[in-house]
């Protein structure tokens, strides 16, 4: 385990400011931290080892004292739990790989927990790994993306003093760093591209209500349509699950409303829209244009290759990993939400609107 464990330091200290090594001579001891924090040495030990039985206020007092003396936790061999809604979507697999690659040079190892966001499985993962000593957690589009989800997993991490980072949405009751793709901008990029091709009956196959990224994309879509003077855009927004079937059902309804282009909230939904279009004997993009969201190299090989808005996976992973390392080392971080720029990758699923 980490050499931050107090049991490794029966006679020594906690290390010089800015150092990861410890020397008994001239270094801060548990007793000094206890005095500075106004608690017992046993309490300092429990905080360092992330044990039960310490109130949030007392834990913060000890953490403040550790920061004042410049103590950094050692990172070697430590585990970071990544909670993700499955790995079938290429974006999540790419993000997990990128996060692991960024953490590895710092001696951290990512353990991936595929969960249904906000479910009992999410809390089960956290309970299991908190007891075995994780140093941080990452909510990668998990319960942090749902407005009314059970956030007991977050509460458990906070009660144990385990830092966490959120991706693509923040907990209403949480206070952690958040890194998100600018979903309003993502919708604007899609509408801008289609509008430039002459489309005016642009529909949106959106994710479910209460999903923070989906709600933001809908808001961005409606703003983009309103800015261009297109009325009635609200009627052209259909909400379904992030799946091929969800995209197919939404597209069927949008085609009945004479949509000439569809902006989908995921690549799966976009592929479902293409299925609905071709089943009607229509063609993509000659009759209807389609844009997806998330982007993957696999989209180069669909028929036709799918135009998609790309999330900045590498930049998100780098920011998340840097922040995790900083938090584990007991240094202060920003806790506001930071937005990153998406990119539109134009392929062959979009074309100028039909002349008729």
């Amino acid at each position: 385990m980490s050499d931050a464990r107090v049991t490794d330091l029966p006679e020594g200290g906690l290390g010089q400011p800015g150092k990861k090594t410890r020397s008994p001579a001239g270094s801060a001891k548990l007793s000094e931290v206890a005095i500075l924090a106004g608690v017992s040495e046993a309490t300092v030990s429990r905080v360092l080892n992330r044990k039960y039985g310490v109130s949030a206020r007392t834990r913060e007092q000890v953490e403040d004292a550790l920061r004042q003396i410049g103590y950094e936790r050692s990172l070697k061999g430590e585990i970071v739990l990544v909670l993700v809604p499955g790995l079938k979507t290429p974006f999540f697999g790419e993000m997990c790989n990128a996060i692991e690659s960024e953490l590895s040079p710092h001696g951290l190892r990512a353990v991936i927990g595929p969960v249904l966001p906000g479910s009992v499985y999410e809390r089960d993962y956290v309970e299991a790994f908190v007891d075995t000593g994780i140093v941080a957690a990452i909510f990668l589009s998990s319960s942090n993306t749902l407005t009314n989800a059970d956030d007991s997993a977050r509460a458990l991490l906070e009660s144990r003093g385990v830092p966490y980072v959120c991706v693509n949405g923040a907990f209403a009751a949480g206070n952690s760093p958040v890194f998100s793709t600018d979903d309003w901008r993502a919708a604007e990029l899609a509408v801008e591209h289609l509008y430039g091709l002459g489309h005016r009956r642009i529909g949106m196959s959106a994710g479910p209500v209460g999903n923070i990224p989906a709600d933001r994309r809908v808001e961005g879509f409606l703003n983009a349509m309103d800015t261009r003077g297109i009325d009635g855009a609200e009627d052209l927004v259909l909400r379904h699950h992030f799946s091929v079937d969800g995209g197919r059902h939404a597209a069927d309804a949008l085609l009945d409303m004479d949509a000439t282009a569809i902006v989908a909230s995921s690549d799966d939904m976009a592929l479902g829209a293409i299925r609905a279009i071709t089943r009607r004997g229509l063609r993509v993009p000659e009759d209807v244009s389609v844009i997806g969201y998330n982007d993957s190299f696999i989209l180069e090989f669909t028929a036709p290759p799918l135009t998609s808005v790309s999330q900045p996976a590498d930049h998100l992973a780098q920011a998340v990993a840097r922040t995790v390392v900083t938090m584990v080392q007991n240094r202060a971080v920003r806790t506001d939400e930071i937005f990153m720029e998406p990119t539109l990758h134009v392929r062959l699923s979009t074309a100028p609107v039909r002349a008729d």
Side-chain angles (χ1 to χ4, degrees):
M1 298 300 293
S2 164
D3 61 1
R5 299 287 180 182
V6 176
T7 53
D8 294 341
L9 303 169
E11 300 295 334
L14 293 175
Q16 298 288 354
K19 302 289 185 180
K20 294 183 183 178
T21 58
R22 301 183 189 82
S23 170
S27 60
K29 297 180 179 179
L30 288 181
S31 59
E32 296 172 10
V33 178
I35 292 171
L36 187 60
V39 300
S40 68
E41 291 183 32
T43 298
V44 175
S45 174
R46 297 187 71 82
V47 171
L48 283 170
N49 292 325
R50 297 188 171 96
K51 298 294 185 180
Y52 285 112
V54 182
S55 69
R57 180 177 179 182
T58 300
R59 190 180 297 277
E60 184 58 32
Q61 289 175 219
V62 174
E63 296 285 2
D64 283 342
L66 290 168
R67 281 190 286 270
Q68 289 180 46
I69 67 171
Y71 173 66
E72 293 184 3
R73 301 180 192 272
S74 173
L75 304 183
K76 186 176 180 180
E78 299 285 16
I79 299 298
V80 176
L81 176 62
V82 183
L83 295 164
V84 58
L87 298 174
K88 292 174 62 178
T89 300
F91 170 74
F92 293 122
E94 292 168 9
M95 276 291 295
C96 288
N97 284 335
I99 288 171
E100 167 64 22
S101 296
E102 294 292 333
L103 291 176
S104 182
H106 300 280
L108 296 172
R109 294 291 178 266
V111 171
I112 311 304
V115 298
L116 181 64
S119 69
V120 65
Y121 302 109
E122 188 175 74
R123 181 181 173 88
D124 286 347
Y125 262 111
V126 171
E127 285 183 335
F129 280 92
V130 162
D131 287 338
T132 59
I134 59 171
V135 295
I138 299 170
F139 289 90
L140 176 54
S141 296
S142 190
S143 57
N144 60 298
T145 63
L146 305 179
T147 55
N148 295 311
D150 176 7
D151 68 346
S152 57
R154 170 206 61 81
L156 177 57
L157 289 168
E158 290 188 358
S159 72
R160 296 291 292 273
V162 178
Y164 62 92
V165 177
C166 295
V167 179
N168 283 333
F171 289 106
N175 184 32
S176 71
V178 185
F179 299 95
S180 301
T181 300
D182 187 340
D183 286 305
W184 297 279
R185 176 61 179 160
E188 164 67 26
L189 287 173
V191 172
E192 178 184 49
H193 175 63
L194 294 170
Y195 188 88
L197 293 173
H199 293 276
R200 299 299 180 266
R201 292 291 293 175
I202 304 171
M204 185 174 204
S205 172
V209 175
N211 178 281
I212 294 172
D215 290 344
R216 289 172 172 175
R217 286 168 216 162
V218 169
E219 185 176 332
F221 173 81
L222 294 176
N223 288 341
M225 296 286 277
D226 183 65
T227 298
R228 290 163 176 80
I230 301 176
D231 297 326
E234 296 87 351
D235 297 332
L236 292 171
V237 176
L238 277 296
R239 309 295 291 256
H240 279 277
H241 294 293
F242 292 114
S243 66
V244 171
D245 283 340
R248 180 171 58 82
H249 287 302
D252 275 329
L254 291 171
L255 293 171
D256 288 340
M257 291 185 280
D258 298 322
T260 65
I262 295 175
V263 177
S265 278
S266 75
D267 292 330
D268 283 349
M269 297 184 85
L271 294 175
I274 291 175
R275 178 175 294 178
I277 293 165
T278 56
R279 284 182 176 178
R280 293 192 179 207
L282 301 174
R283 299 167 299 167
V284 177
E286 291 85 353
D287 299 309
V288 183
S289 290
V290 178
I291 294 181
Y293 183 87
N294 274 334
D295 198 45
S296 167
F297 75 94
I298 295 174
L299 302 182
E300 297 282 357
F301 307 100
T302 58
L306 181 66
T307 296
S308 183
V309 179
S310 174
Q311 296 198 63
D314 288 340
H315 291 164
L316 284 168
Q318 290 166 7
V320 167
R322 284 196 302 266
T323 302
V324 166
V325 170
T326 300
M327 296 175 78
V328 171
Q329 290 178 336
N330 209 48
R331 291 182 284 152
V333 296
R334 292 176 57 177
T335 56
D336 54 333
E337 187 168 9
I338 297 174
F339 294 97
M340 298 193 174
E341 185 78 3
T343 305
L344 178 67
H345 286 176
V346 178
R347 297 187 180 92
L348 299 181
S349 66
T350 52
V353 68
R354 293 186 311 246
D356 59 351

